Amino acid sequence: MISKIIEKKLVSLQLVRGLSSSTARSARNNAFNTVITEEVATKSPQLVTLHNRLRLPGSFKLSTLGRCLTCIQKDNKYPNNVGLSIFGKNLLSYHATELLLMKYPRLPLNVLNNAINGIIGDETLYSIGKEWGIQTDSSTAVEKFLNEEPEEITIGRLRFDNQNKSIESNLTVIDKKNTLTQEVAMASAVKSIVGAYYASSKSLQDTKKFIYNYILTTRHLKIQDMFEFEQPTRELAALCKRQGLEQPVTRLLSESGRASKRPVFLVAVFSGNEKLGESFGASLREAKIRASVNALMNWYLYSSLDVKLPSDADYSRETLKEVDHGIVIV
Amino acid sequence: MFSQIIKSGIQSQKRSVSTESLPKLAVKNKFKSRGSAFNFKPQKVEPGVYHQPSPSIPSPLQKTPNAFLPASDIRKSSSSEYTAEDVSYMPPLSSVKEKKYHLTAQQIEEIRQLRNSDPYTYTRKALAKKFDCSEFFVSLVVDCPPDRLKDMAGRLDTIKSTWSVRKKEAKSDHEKRKQNWYRNA
């Protein structure tokens, strides 16, 4: 009896999309007949809380915030966040690239790319979104219907077709077709909030402030751990030649227990009288390689004292002092 | 250097206040209140900001060497932190050889020919000695023929097969540790 009622209601709500013809389905997917209204959005406790928590401006409507949480979905009656997310990603990557490039002007390209991914990659944005308190909607359409979940509760959660669906306990279905992982979905929500921030505030400076306060400065990236060199001694010699410095010479500063099981050698690389790098090792070879690596890191991680970003109001081309010559080719 | 530090340390411990007011001990003993190391009187430190860098190697994020600073940077100084005398006390690990650039194109072609014709006689070492250049230069000029490379790899595998489990583990651990040299980890 109960199952019959459910079936009837499901059909009436057009939730069983599989039964309709394919052309009708595609038409329904493209045309969003329902839009999240401001009236409904103001009733949503999650949206109001998130809005206040992120100190979003008044011009950022709650209905827009609801849209940011709507990912691309198969049976979706609301407009999704795809466009906003692409826009937000571009804003984020602009600010992250600018910050890293101006702070560390000599950063090699592959380290730069990985560092950007570390700051604004999907995994990072997922943890940021979780910290913001964005809840994910894990209930199915049937469960929502049976619980008589109101619309304002549904729109306050992150909605997406999950790649990993747990049907029962200890049973998960992985469906990679037209689905998103939780990380990607949450990241798209965070990106679209950034995009919507600019779209609603129409101020690049305010958006920049938001990005710095809530995303870029919230994580500590260990950029010194992202380097790996193949031939550090040769690379350093090539660098010194390019920069017009004297050929590097590795010199022994101190040592302990040369004949013992655990010797320690402290060496430094000198170019003339200038010390380029210093390190230690259990063998002279190890210490020499480590010292060269240290010297190369000293070169690549140079940072000027007064960093002015192109997006700053008082930026001019004249303030750009250091232009990098690029990586050293061995 | 250490003896100097110790010496200056003793000097700094010199008493600056009289011990006349100290109470006399009732029992007669060998304690000399005037010269005792326990009678420590630290020198007064003037108020101000003191920079005490950690004795560890400075991080690349903290300090860029003077030679690597661009000319526009205000931290760049014209003189080096070290004098030639300081550097002379630090023995170099290997002597810097001046590059000779003495080999002609014909000789380089000869190196290639010899290496490819009989790689077992004309090894990298033998060619370096014959042409008075470095083994590294020979490796730049010509690669090892693939047959010999395969043969040597086979020989190495034979040697490795005789290794005990402990030796194998130790070798693989060393390889893993060696990767960290190139990462500064």
Side-chain angles (χ1 to χ4, degrees), chain A residues 243-293:
Chain A
Q243 294 305 117
L245 300 167
E246 281 180 52
Q247 274 300 92
V249 180
T250 316
R251 290 172 184 276
L252 187 63
L253 301 187
S254 64
E255 63 170 65
S256 121
R258 187 181 274 253
S260 73
K261 196 187 174 194
R262 293 273 182 275
V264 176
F265 300 98
L266 184 69
V267 307
V269 196
F270 279 85
S271 166
N273 294 338
E274 298 275 10
K275 190 166 83 176
L276 305 179
E278 185 183 333
S279 200
F280 61 91
S283 66
L284 286 169
R285 206 168 97 81
E286 180 188 351
K288 187 183 173 183
I289 289 167
R290 280 182 181 275
S292 300
V293 167

Side-chain angles (χ1 to χ4, degrees), chain A residues 3 34 37 56 95 105 107 110 115 137 140 181 187 242 285:
Chain A
S3 64
T34 327
T37 57
L56 297 172
H95 285 291
L107 223 50
N110 48 0
D137 186 11
T140 60
T181 59
R242 191 185 81 179
R285 206 168 97 81

Side-chain angles (χ1 to χ4, degrees), chain B residues 116-128:
Chain B
N116 286 324
S117 62
D118 187 3
Y120 288 87
T121 316
Y122 295 105
T123 57
R124 235 164 55 147
K125 197 177 173 182
L127 285 169

Side-chain angles (χ1 to χ4, degrees), chain A residues 193-213:
Chain A
I193 287 172
V194 172
Y197 196 104
Y198 178 62
S200 52
S201 70
K202 295 190 179 61
S203 159
L204 209 52
Q205 287 304 320
D206 289 351
T207 316
K208 186 184 167 187
K209 223 177 188 176
F210 176 77
I211 291 172
Y212 272 77
N213 287 345

